[in-house]
Amino acid sequence: MIPHLTLLAAEETTSLIDWWNSLWFRPQSSTVAGQVDWVFNFVMAVCIFFFVLIVGMLLVFLAKYVSRPGHKPESSPSHNDKLEITWSVIPLIITFFIFYYGFVGYLDMRTPPDDALEVKVVGKKWAWSFQYPNGAIDSELHAPLGQPVRLVMSSDDVIHSLFIPAFRVKQDVVPGRYSKTWFTATKTAPEDNGDSFPDPDEGGFDLFCTEYCGTSHSQMKAKVIIEKSDGDFLNYLNKINDPRNGGAPVEVGEKLYNRRGCVQCHSIDGSAKAGPTWKGSYGTEAELVTGEKVKVDENYIRESILNPMAKVHKGFNPVMPTYQGQLKDDEIFAIIQYIRSLSGTAVEDWPARPEAPVVDPNAPPKN
Amino acid sequence: MVTQAKEHLDFHSLGLTEDRRVIIPEGKSYLSGGGLWSWVFTLDHKRIGVMYLASILTFFLVGGIFALLVRAELYTPDIDLISKLFGLDAEKAKDKYNEFFTLHGAIMVFLFIIPSIPAALGNIILPMQLGAKDVAFPRMNLASYHLYVWGALFFIGALLMTGLDTGWTFYAPYSTTTVGPVAMATLGAFILGFSSIFTGLNFVVTVNTMRPKGMTWFRMPLFLWGVYATAIIQILATPVLAITLLLLTFERVFGLGIFDPKLGGDPVLYQHFFWFYSHPAVYIMILPGMAIISDVIPTFSRKPIFGYTFIAYSSIAIALLGFLVWGHHMFTSGQSPLASVVFSAITFSVSIPSAIKVFNWTATMYKGSIHLNTPMCYALSFIFLFTIGGLTGLFLGALNVDVHLHDTYFVVAHFHYVMMGGTLIAFLAGLHYWWPKIFGKMYNETWARVACVIIFIGFNWTFLPQFVLGTHGMPRRYATYEPQFQAGHRLSTQGAFFLGSGLFLAGGVLLHSLLKGKKAPPNPWGAATLEWKCCSPPTTQNFETTPWVGFPYDYSDFVYDPNEEGYVEVLPDLARSAKH
């Protein structure tokens, strides 16, 4: 949408505009960015005109009418309705155009295309998580180049705001409701060029939280990685879909503990929260509300995750939601290994398996 | 350089005779006499104003120190200065940083800017501009100051307890769930709100009922118009803040679900309530600033204000339209897109009255005789900075550009240009303008102007880089940041310390004048408004003789008298007019 200045040589025009834009902005990397920058530049032109006009008049008057020996104030009309109405109406007309262009751009920003890929975003103090249509969850946002992506966002605690400067998109993430925004990336982020100076968006577009949310608000950020092709994106989905890519089972288990909500109710320091602590629990005998006793082992943990109401621990309310269909076998295995590690029990490595599963990213989420 | 108010044509060279000089009798200064008690329970509007002045300047110093701490921390991307200074680990240091910016914002807004011009300068000047002895309700005026002190104590209490980390906006549900002393701080803001309402009510009644004979609405000084418009907003908007803060406290203390979705509330509702007050509050802050500029520029240009009626009406227009634009703080909050569109449209309409004022101030200087005394230097600085502040608002009113710029440093820079470049600079203009009247002492013009220039340069040095940081995506309220932003932050921090030194110099010059300053004449600048028609400093009664009420911007009857080092009013030549 950048208007062409045909009077200048084409190359010079481009370099001048490039210089101006790089002074103010990160490179435009989404379909709406050009429009935002165009309106910004339009407003900037209006501002420069009025600024030069006002400050210019101020300086001219200062030079001409500054008090000095022999200088007297001259009389001039103390009002002029025509003049005053003119300088009221002209700005009004100009602001109407600014409003209109901003409005049109805003409509585009708020209207995602129908074929958009949907990614669920959850913000909580102080991390982002992104869930893809196949159910896989990651802390980085990946998307294919040129593909509209719709973000459906919610918050687990306070208000956050998702902001990707290179895409010029921002939307608050409010607890208790879903908010939405979308983008279509037109560029991949610049590669790390190896120099010591950190360039903006190097190795992935910056994604910031822009609504103040407490201690680590400034570290609630993520990278947006734009995959060059749909194939690359599929490979990425397959990669994160397999828990084994996350490292040893204990490490994967710890990540799941923090990311999938276990941490809200189960402590790892021995204190009781809404649910029993995981520390030192493995291998002990747990008393159930029915009075029965049961050994806390692989089978009991697995059953408690998939069917929490079957055997409720005495002294706790039956409030745990089921994770049936939300955790894969490998993930449950990883959580068990993590619980074992908290009880000082030896942990195991991934069990053998024939081959990695192949996942179709367009399939509906498993949950 | 033009020296202090030296007119080419003075009293003697014009051949005026002594019998045409309006004599202003000297009297006992309102400042002298009485012990501490006579100040604490005084009903004299000037003494209350001076106590306000001392209080707000103290809080300005405190808020300014927090600002410098915040800026110093931001010199480097990591959280290092605060952790070294206070011996804290990174997590605790980030909490500290969050407290610092909260205290900077809350103190500056609630304890400094909002009361700065109306309650401190307005209290002293408003009755005198009306030729009156006091405000309509002197006891309520005193109550307003006492409430201010109590409110401030709660604020400072929350400060000493530490841990207030909500930002000055107290957004729910963060504010209802954080551990900090939010209830205490909001109670402080609640009490301060009543102090503000009392002042507003007093001013409205005073202006309505106590104007002297001959001073019709459209012969009022524009300072009164501005303060009157402000008072209307104070009365109408502040109760909404009070209710909002009360609801917030109920939610925190009793667990009532109003804003927190976990209790069935709506966090966006809080933002609507909050900005319904806080956007008009922006005009509580800027309108009195504009009002000062409307008095200072004609005085030092020796020309009547250009387009008096437009300026007067634009103050009222700003006050009324200001109530209809609060949603422009919420374009990305999740309010409906339709609401955003409507708010954007109305927002642009409120920019017009401000533009009118700027054009009129500039036009006032046309064919004038511009005296570059310190108040005028600040007024010119105001026009420059406020123009930038106002124009950058256009970017934020445009819907799609605001989505990109919202909650970035661009917004931070914008509102500092309006609040600090606008209101603070106007406050300094007013303080230097009325200083000789309030304290009866002249300050050193040279050093006061040097301070003004340092403040002007330091201000732009601090905040211009922040616009660029913002458009590149630097979010506000960040304790740490990406290394790519460091160049801008460094400039900004250097500028902030330069700016701070300018403010200290200005303060030093004024304090010095109290001890060593020359005695001020009744009318050092040749202003035509009534507060200059009594001695400096005034007596408790203000006026020993009833002043003559003329048009507030007609300077033809004020002539410089080198013996007085000030201006004197000359009576019409009765003998001559009788002959004709």
Side-chain angles (χ1 to χ4, degrees), chain A residues 24 76 170 215 219 221, chain B residues 94-95 165 303 406 471 482:
Chain A
W24 287 101
S76 60
K170 181 182 294 122
T215 311
Q219 271 139 0
K221 54 195 181 188
Chain B
K94 279 186 286 183
D95 282 339
D165 66 340
K303 287 279 290 183
H406 182 72
T471 54
E482 305 290 297

Side-chain angles (χ1 to χ4, degrees), chain A residues 23-24 26 65 67 71 74 76 78 84 87 170-172 206 209-210 212 214-219 221, chain B residues 2 94-95 165 174 303 307 310 332 360 367-368 370 403-404 406-407 471-472 477-478 480 482 484:
Chain A
L23 175 70
W24 287 101
R26 295 171 191 236
Y65 307 121
S67 136
H71 176 73
E74 299 165 59
S76 60
S78 66
E84 289 177 74
W87 72 38
K170 181 182 294 122
Q171 180 64 46
D172 284 8
D206 289 321
C209 173
T210 48
Y212 172 69
T215 311
S216 295
H217 168 53
S218 62
Q219 271 139 0
K221 54 195 181 188
Chain B
V2 181
K94 279 186 286 183
D95 282 339
D165 66 340
Y174 186 80
K303 287 279 290 183
F310 269 67
T332 67
N360 280 333
K367 289 194 173 177
I370 300 163
V403 168
H404 177 57
H406 182 72
D407 273 339
T471 54
H472 281 273
R477 296 176 167 178
Y478 262 28
T480 59
E482 305 290 297
Q484 37 168 306

Side-chain angles (χ1 to χ4, degrees), chain B residues 201-476:
Chain B
L201 204 59
N202 224 332
F203 286 2
V204 166
V205 176
T206 309
V207 171
N208 268 308
T209 62
M210 294 173 70
R211 274 173 293 122
K213 212 168 188 176
M215 189 186 282
T216 57
W217 282 98
F218 288 93
R219 287 172 74 86
M220 260 185 358
L222 286 163
F223 181 71
L224 293 182
W225 270 106
V227 175
Y228 186 78
T230 308
I232 291 174
I233 313 177
Q234 285 178 307
I235 296 172
L236 295 181
T238 316
V240 180
L241 177 74
I243 294 164
T244 310
L245 294 177
L246 212 58
L247 290 175
L248 193 72
T249 310
F250 281 166
E251 176 160 317
R252 250 190 99 86
V253 179
F254 305 115
L256 286 184
I258 298 157
F259 305 125
D260 188 347
K262 287 209 174 85
L263 305 168
D266 182 354
V268 179
L269 178 68
Y270 175 83
Q271 297 176 27
H272 279 293
F273 280 171
F274 181 80
W275 289 113
F276 186 86
Y277 163 75
S278 291
H279 194 78
V282 171
Y283 298 111
I284 294 181
M285 303 179 214
I286 192 65
L287 272 173
M290 295 167 155
I292 289 178
I293 301 305
S294 305
D295 268 16
V296 168
I297 288 192
T299 303
F300 291 94
S301 304
R302 312 308 298 150
K303 287 279 290 183
I305 186 91
F306 186 84
Y308 175 98
T309 341
F310 269 67
I311 296 187
Y313 277 130
S314 67
S315 293
I316 300 299
I318 288 175
L320 297 180
L321 287 171
F323 277 101
L324 307 174
V325 300
W326 78 89
H328 70 212
H329 295 267
M330 301 167 60
F331 288 161
T332 67
S333 72
Q335 77 181 359
S336 81
L338 177 66
S340 295
V341 169
V342 173
F343 280 122
S344 168
I346 308 175
T347 298
F348 282 112
S349 70
V350 82
S351 67
I352 304 301
S354 303
I356 292 174
K357 282 179 193 271
V358 174
F359 290 135
N360 280 333
W361 293 324
T362 313
T364 301
M365 292 162 59
Y366 177 66
K367 289 194 173 177
S369 171
I370 300 163
H371 292 63
L372 287 172
N373 293 87
T374 313
M376 187 61 175
C377 292
Y378 279 110
L380 293 173
S381 167
F382 172 95
I383 295 184
F384 184 97
L385 301 175
F386 180 74
T387 301
I388 295 180
L391 287 173
T392 50
L394 295 177
F395 294 95
L396 300 171
L399 280 162
N400 66 345
V401 180
D402 181 72
V403 168
H404 177 57
L405 297 177
H406 182 72
D407 273 339
T408 67
Y409 265 62
F410 191 93
V411 176
V412 175
H414 161 70
F415 71 69
H416 278 91
Y417 262 91
V418 178
M419 298 288 85
M420 195 176 181
T423 310
L424 175 72
I425 298 294
F427 171 76
L428 289 173
L431 192 64
H432 284 84
Y433 180 55
W434 285 307
W435 188 267
K437 179 55 66 185
I438 299 172
F439 295 106
K441 300 282 188 183
M442 299 304 292
Y443 46 82
N444 183 313
E445 274 282 346
T446 313
W447 284 107
R449 275 183 287 206
V450 169
C452 175
V453 171
I454 294 176
I455 290 169
F456 177 77
I457 295 170
F459 182 85
N460 288 296
W461 188 355
T462 309
F463 293 105
L464 272 181
Q466 296 190 1
F467 285 119
V468 183
L469 282 173
T471 54
H472 281 273
M474 171 73 210
R476 65 191 283 206

Side-chain angles (χ1 to χ4, degrees), chain A residues 20-270:
Chain A
W20 173 260
N21 282 340
S22 68
L23 175 70
W24 287 101
F25 298 114
R26 295 171 191 236
Q28 299 166 359
S29 308
S30 78
T31 48
V32 297
Q35 206 168 14
V36 171
D37 296 3
W38 187 86
V39 179
F40 181 93
N41 285 328
F42 173 68
V43 180
M44 183 61 97
V46 171
C47 288
I48 289 175
F49 172 78
F50 279 103
F51 182 74
V52 169
L53 182 77
I54 292 165
V55 175
M57 277 192 351
L58 215 60
L59 293 177
V60 168
F61 290 171
L62 261 181
K64 283 181 80 168
Y65 307 121
V66 73
S67 136
R68 54 193 181 268
H71 176 73
K72 277 200 301 182
E74 299 165 59
S75 71
S76 60
S78 66
H79 67 100
N80 181 334
D81 286 348
K82 269 188 198 159
L83 181 65
E84 289 177 74
I85 289 168
T86 310
W87 72 38
S88 310
V89 171
I90 290 178
L92 192 66
I93 294 169
I94 293 173
T95 56
F96 175 79
F97 280 101
I98 299 175
F99 163 73
Y100 175 76
Y101 291 127
F103 163 67
V104 170
Y106 183 71
L107 283 190
D108 290 348
M109 271 182 171
R110 287 283 168 264
T111 320
D114 294 335
D115 60 341
L117 174 84
E118 187 170 299
V119 177
K120 285 186 183 141
V121 182
V122 176
K124 67 168 120 180
K125 292 175 183 172
W126 292 280
W128 296 101
S129 71
F130 304 94
Q131 187 178 26
Y132 298 94
N134 67 350
I137 291 178
D138 196 8
S139 55
E140 279 179 350
L141 175 57
H142 286 243
L145 190 66
Q147 160 77 41
V149 177
R150 197 160 81 107
L151 304 177
V152 178
M153 309 185 287
S154 63
S155 164
D156 278 358
D157 37 47
V158 298
I159 303 175
H160 303 282
S161 188
L162 179 137
F163 176 37
I164 309 170
F167 295 170
R168 321 279 191 265
V169 294
K170 181 182 294 122
Q171 180 64 46
D172 284 8
V173 180
V174 183
R177 58 164 79 177
Y178 291 102
S179 54
K180 300 177 186 83
T181 188
W182 74 278
F183 62 83
T184 303
T186 55
K187 272 189 195 138
T188 55
E191 300 288 326
D192 187 345
N193 57 13
D195 66 3
S196 54
F197 186 75
D199 294 314
D201 294 324
E202 205 171 70
F205 295 112
D206 289 321
L207 184 156
F208 297 122
C209 173
T210 48
E211 186 65 67
Y212 172 69
C213 58
T215 311
S216 295
H217 168 53
S218 62
Q219 271 139 0
M220 185 167 168
K221 54 195 181 188
K223 283 283 185 186
V224 184
I225 313 286
I226 298 304
E227 305 284 357
K228 286 192 184 65
S229 66
D230 288 358
D232 288 349
F233 184 61
L234 278 184
N235 288 341
Y236 159 75
L237 285 185
N238 283 332
K239 185 174 155 253
I240 57 157
N241 198 39
D242 184 355
R244 297 188 180 199
N245 290 319
V250 179
E251 294 165 33
V252 174
E254 185 179 1
K255 275 183 211 155
L256 290 166
Y257 167 77
N258 285 310
R259 284 187 195 165
R260 301 302 290 272
C262 319
V263 62
Q264 312 288 358
C265 302
H266 299 281
S267 78
I268 52 169
D269 60 4

Side-chain angles (χ1 to χ4, degrees), chain B residues 486-526:
Chain B
Q486 193 177 3
H489 275 298
R490 276 196 176 183
L491 272 176
S492 188
T493 300
Q494 292 156 354
F497 280 87
F498 192 66
L499 171 59
S501 66
L503 288 166
F504 272 110
L505 178 61
V509 170
L510 290 178
L511 287 179
H512 177 262
S513 80
L514 288 183
L515 304 172
K516 298 271 172 74
K518 265 198 287 188
K519 186 174 167 15
N523 193 353
W525 321 121

